[in-house]
Amino acid sequence: MEKKKRYYPNFPGVPGWIYGGNLNFERVLFLLHRITGLALIFYLFAHIIVVGFRAYSPEMWEMVMGRISGHSNPVILFFEWLLVLAVIFHMFNGMRLIFLELGFFIGKPSRPVYPYRTSIDRQRIFTWIMMILASIFVIWSIFAFFMGGGNHA
Amino acid sequence: MGYDMGKPVKKVRFRVFRYDPEKDDRPHYSEYTLEAWKGMSVLDALNEIKAEQDPTLSWRQSCRMGVCGSCAMVINGKPALACQTQVLKLDTDVITIEPLKSFPVIKDLTPDLQNLFRHHTHVKPYIIRRNEEELTEENPTEEFLQSPEELEAFLQFSYCIKCGACVSACPVSQSDPEFYGPQALAQAFRYISDTRDEGEEIRYAIVDNPQGCWRCHFAQSCTFVCPKGVDPAMAIQYLKRDLVLMSVGMKKEKKRAQKAPLGAPTDRVPEKYVPPEFTIAKPE
Ligand code: HEM
């Protein structure tokens, strides 16, 4: 039987975001922004459910908090910290995207003279500033969570 | 032997994506080893493989000097023009060559770019005039004047050679074939910022939709891989900026090209205009 001619789709789909190939740093930020955004939404729902226990009774609330708050469980404390990392990254990268997607810090169209200078080069300083600000908050969060800097201890 | 262009420098192994629609169900990789010489491009290597080792290998090429945009392929994970990628500059012993992603593969390294051109034509990539007769006049009496600054506002984007590298690199195009893609959106902006064009309202309406410029999440991979310095990511963000400014009524009126009688003297070049300096890349 003769085989039908067909094309190979070669369509990466969602895994293409992760396995993009040998590409640029901003693409990683895109992926992290998406992951952290979805994680935050997921947390929002979980948060609403957990806080909803308050509506039953003060005892119920105490019981739930005793089991699944960072105060009582170091594993949960660690996950809470991951959540804070996600918030910090999403916030700073989100501010970066708001500026860049409105056309700030990406330069004006110019004559394409070799070697090309592109919006990637132009925005990189701003991106690093935002990421450094984010890492300051990350360092603060380590103190607050694990070294008794916050009111957790 | 037509390919002995320089002294062999080292042996390089090429892992090439193979898919024959008549025989294969799934793609596989073939390996070839070549002596790489100084100045050898990936396209040279493919030609050498085809001439000496495997005549069944297929890809698309024409100009072999970075102008036509036929030979874009994914080389070591990065979409690039095969003719502009130097084998020795890649600095690896194994070079993996795959067809552009997000496009169906016809055979081996040949992608079917129909989706690219479908989106490209969708944004009306040509000058639109309110008075259509201006464009079809048999004996025109007037011409448009454009200052160097007005030219520079879109020149960069008009360098697009429609090779498809940007679409292959774009994470959004990789998961959504209906996204217009960096190529088409950059062309929409190219015509919008051309002072001769009067079709910007039509084009803004086309790109202002969830599959248009708002689907872009600014991963900037398009700009990263563009072999001609077109910078589609910048063009798309300016489209967004324009649309946001329009929605709050702060968009400035677009400047229109002046018209002058045909063949009028060219004393209009501003005196202070300095032609840009060119740096010519030094051969190593
Ligand atoms: C200061 C706080 C925040 C800022 C500045 C911010 C900023 C942004 C921006 C600018 C985008 C669009 C990114 C793009 O163009 O791809 C975005 C996407 C998103 N955000 Fe936020 N955001 C914040 C907080 C949140 C919170 C609290 C949540 C969850 C409850 C959230 C969930 C998301 C999701 C799911 C996306 C879509 C991601 C994507 O399409 O890739 N964000 N955010």
Side-chain angles (χ1 to χ4, degrees):
Chain A
M1 203 181 82
E2 205 194 322
K3 266 194 180 165
K4 238 178 90 193
K5 267 199 185 183
R6 72 213 150 199
Y7 291 175
Y8 178 67
N10 200 24
F11 196 65
V14 173
W17 304 343
I18 299 158
Y19 179 68
N22 184 5
L23 294 169
N24 54 329
F25 168 61
E26 286 72 17
R27 196 188 159 104
V28 180
L29 296 185
F30 154 78
L31 180 64
L32 286 177
H33 196 83
R34 191 154 267 197
I35 293 172
T36 53
L38 292 175
L40 289 180
I41 289 197
F42 177 77
Y43 171 75
L44 187 66
F45 287 121
H47 186 60
I48 290 170
I49 293 169
V50 170
V51 172
F53 281 108
R54 240 185 172 139
Y56 291 104
S57 67
E59 293 75 35
M60 183 78 128
W61 171 245
E62 288 300 327
M63 198 267 288
V64 169
M65 279 295 108
R67 294 224 176 134
I68 59 161
S69 85
H71 295 275
S72 51
N73 188 335
V75 178
I76 300 224
L77 184 69
F78 180 72
F79 277 102
E80 281 181 351
W81 180 63
L82 286 189
L83 181 77
V84 167
L85 290 196
V87 170
I88 292 171
F89 174 81
H90 193 93
M91 183 172 85
F92 280 97
N93 195 51
M95 287 195 279
R96 163 183 166 265
L97 285 171
I98 289 170
F99 277 100
L100 297 178
E101 294 190 10
L102 290 176
F104 296 98
F105 312 124
I106 56 172
K108 287 255 167 323
S110 58
R111 207 169 265 263
V113 176
Y114 200 78
Y116 304 129
R117 218 175 120 65
T118 61
S119 58
I120 298 189
D121 310 321
R122 297 197 186 98
Q123 56 88 48
R124 203 147 256 177
I125 296 179
F126 176 60
T127 300
W128 279 121
I129 291 174
M130 290 318 250
M131 290 303 119
I132 288 169
L133 286 178
S135 17
I136 293 174
F137 274 72
V138 169
I139 293 168
W140 162 79
S141 76
I142 295 174
F143 276 103
F145 266 73
F146 303 116
M147 295 173 161
N151 49 13
H152 267 271
Chain B
M1 244 291 295
Y3 293 113
D4 286 330
M5 311 279 287
K7 267 192 240 131
V9 179
K10 65 168 178 183
K11 273 202 180 352
V12 178
R13 210 147 50 90
F14 289 84
R15 280 183 76 232
V16 184
F17 178 102
R18 303 300 304 273
Y19 175 74
D20 184 342
E22 287 176 0
K23 288 196 212 126
D24 302 340
D25 284 331
R26 333 193 79 252
H28 60 100
Y29 287 81
S30 299
E31 298 212 351
Y32 311 96
T33 308
L34 288 182
E35 290 282 355
W37 31 270
K38 204 172 165 184
M40 182 196 233
S41 67
V42 171
L43 192 66
D44 290 331
L46 287 174
N47 275 310
E48 219 167 282
I49 291 169
K50 192 172 174 90
E52 291 166 3
Q53 301 188 21
D54 188 350
T56 62
L57 185 60
S58 345
W59 67 91
R60 202 186 277 124
Q61 77 168 66
S62 2
C63 79
R64 77 202 174 340
M65 54 187 196
V67 176
C68 73
S70 302
C71 66
M73 45 190 81
V74 178
I75 301 165
N76 277 356
K78 181 182 172 188
L81 295 182
C83 60
Q84 280 191 341
T85 309
Q86 290 285 311
V87 169
L88 292 176
K89 273 208 180 159
L90 288 174
D91 211 19
T92 51
D93 295 334
V94 187
I95 295 179
T96 310
I97 309 179
E98 292 159 320
L100 287 183
K101 288 179 188 167
S102 309
F103 295 111
V105 178
I106 301 175
K107 184 170 184 289
D108 298 344
L109 301 171
T110 320
D112 176 0
L113 297 180
Q114 270 189 44
N115 208 21
L116 179 86
F117 292 111
R118 181 167 66 92
H119 291 311
H120 178 57
T121 47
H122 185 56
V123 301
K124 301 191 188 295
Y126 39 79
I127 299 270
I128 298 173
R129 297 293 295 179
R130 295 233 167 81
N131 177 3
E132 273 178 30
E133 278 163 31
E134 280 175 352
L135 296 172
T136 51
E137 239 172 301
E138 285 268 314
N139 299 306
T141 53
E142 281 179 316
E143 61 184 335
F144 293 117
L145 296 182
Q146 242 173 0
S147 70
E149 288 79 19
E150 286 166 13
L151 173 71
E152 267 168 34
F154 68 83
L155 180 68
Q156 176 173 25
F157 308 118
S158 69
Y159 273 38
C160 174
I161 55 176
K162 288 113 199 142
C163 62
C166 52
V167 175
S168 170
C170 173
V172 180
S173 293
Q174 284 182 348
S175 55
D176 181 6
E178 291 309 313
F179 173 46
Y180 293 178
Q183 189 276 336
L185 292 171
Q187 289 316 296
F189 188 68
R190 177 247 175 275
Y191 284 93
I192 283 171
S193 36
D194 190 328
T195 51
R196 296 165 296 183
D197 182 78
E198 289 177 338
E200 71 274 5
E201 278 167 28
I202 305 173
R203 264 184 231 101
Y204 279 132
I206 294 175
V207 299
D208 184 10
N209 87 50
Q211 307 292 356
C213 64
W214 303 113
R215 186 56 99 236
C216 165
H217 296 285
F218 204 51
Q220 278 185 304
S221 295
C222 48
T223 298
F224 182 70
V225 301
C226 178
K228 305 303 280 182
V230 169
D231 211 337
M234 182 211 271
I236 303 171
Q237 309 326 308
Y238 276 117
L239 283 177
K240 292 181 190 168
R241 182 199 184 104
D242 285 356
L243 289 169
V244 170
L245 288 178
M246 272 156 71
S247 71
V248 294
M250 279 166 62
K251 176 102 180 70
K252 285 202 203 95
E253 184 95 16
K254 182 179 163 178
K255 207 175 159 196
R256 306 276 170 207
Q258 299 285 306
K259 281 192 272 184
L262 202 60
T266 51
D267 56 347
R268 268 165 275 261
V269 178
E271 256 170 50
K272 63 175 191 324
Y273 180 67
V274 195
E277 270 182 42
F278 287 86
T279 32
I280 294 172
K282 281 202 198 93
E284 281 135 57

